[in-house]
Amino acid sequence: VLLVLLVVLPQLEPVFAEAGNRLPLPTRIAFGASSFIRQFWWGLAVAAGVLSLAAHRLLQDPGFCARRDAWLLRLPVLSLAVRRIEAARFSRVLGTLLTGGMTLAPALMLARPVLSNRVVVDAFERVISTVREGGGLAAPLAKAKIFPELAIQMIRIGESAGRLEPMLLRLADLLDSEVQRTIDRALALMVPVLTIGLGAMVAG
């Protein structure tokens, strides 16, 4: 789009100069945008820098991050992907720690930093408190509703069979595969959509 606005349209301006206001509105808007960007590119660069700095500071604000993470967990498709990613990270680290001989409660404390969604982290704190009081892992995780149902079921089966460690590692592999398939499908859909959209914009 910038190539069209900064290179192509300036070469066409002399051709349409005599038409003036008789040009269609979209054409006049395109030429106006081209002229504006060429004249005030420095202002746009400064504005982009200010917006980037403001966005960076906003992302450091705990309150904003908490609202953003809560919003992500309410989106229909993205919510499941986020929960799968968090569950996969948690399962792999916890399974590795338990395999190394660590008990459950300390292992949960060490696995907590791999969780990035603040809503999930807050709910996970309650899970750790319940486990410290002597409960199992599957029940408080199911009550917290932060992980996919598949993760809860596999953790419950692992606890019942006394094979929680290998079940957690198997769960991590399974969830990673699910996330990768979701990303591949999203990218496969995104490419034609972007191509058609960009082509329509340039053609228009």
Side-chain angles (χ1 to χ4, degrees), residues 6-201:
L6 298 179
V7 178
V8 178
L9 289 184
Q11 296 179 8
L12 297 177
E13 279 183 347
V15 178
F16 295 102
E18 296 181 359
N21 292 332
R22 289 176 297 171
L23 289 173
L25 179 61
T27 306
R28 297 201 304 271
I29 291 175
F31 279 118
S34 173
S35 177
F36 180 83
I37 292 175
R38 281 182 285 132
Q39 291 181 21
F40 301 103
W41 61 268
W42 54 270
L44 295 175
V46 171
V50 171
L51 288 176
S52 298
L53 180 60
H56 176 73
R57 291 188 175 181
L58 190 61
L59 291 175
Q60 304 300 317
D61 179 59
F64 173 80
C65 291
R67 291 191 297 271
R68 177 203 60 193
D69 291 346
W71 178 72
L72 288 175
L73 292 179
R74 287 195 294 266
L75 295 177
V77 178
L78 193 56
S79 171
L80 182 58
V82 170
R83 295 177 191 274
R84 284 174 175 172
I85 291 172
E86 296 284 32
R89 291 173 179 169
F90 162 79
S91 300
R92 190 172 304 282
V93 173
L94 182 62
T96 302
L97 292 172
L98 294 177
T99 302
M102 186 171 290
T103 56
L104 183 57
L108 288 174
M109 293 293 295
L110 291 178
R112 179 181 55 184
V114 303
L115 300 173
S116 59
N117 188 285
R118 307 211 174 202
V119 176
V120 174
V121 171
D122 291 341
F124 192 70
E125 294 286 352
R126 296 189 289 272
V127 173
I128 295 177
S129 298
T130 303
V131 172
R132 282 177 168 175
E133 294 172 358
L137 179 60
L141 279 177
K143 185 178 180 180
K145 297 180 180 179
I146 54 176
F147 289 164
E149 185 61 30
L150 173 63
I152 304 301
Q153 292 177 359
M154 291 186 66
I155 291 174
R156 182 177 288 115
I157 293 172
E159 284 186 324
S160 300
R163 294 180 53 81
L164 181 59
E165 300 90 337
M167 187 64 77
L168 286 169
L169 296 176
R170 171 62 182 150
L171 173 61
D173 292 336
L174 184 61
L175 291 174
D176 280 340
S177 299
E178 290 288 336
V179 170
Q180 188 60 50
R181 279 196 294 267
T182 301
I183 293 174
D184 290 341
R185 286 195 295 265
L187 291 177
L189 179 63
M190 188 180 300
V191 170
V193 170
L194 289 176
T195 303
I196 294 172
L198 188 59
M201 186 181 299

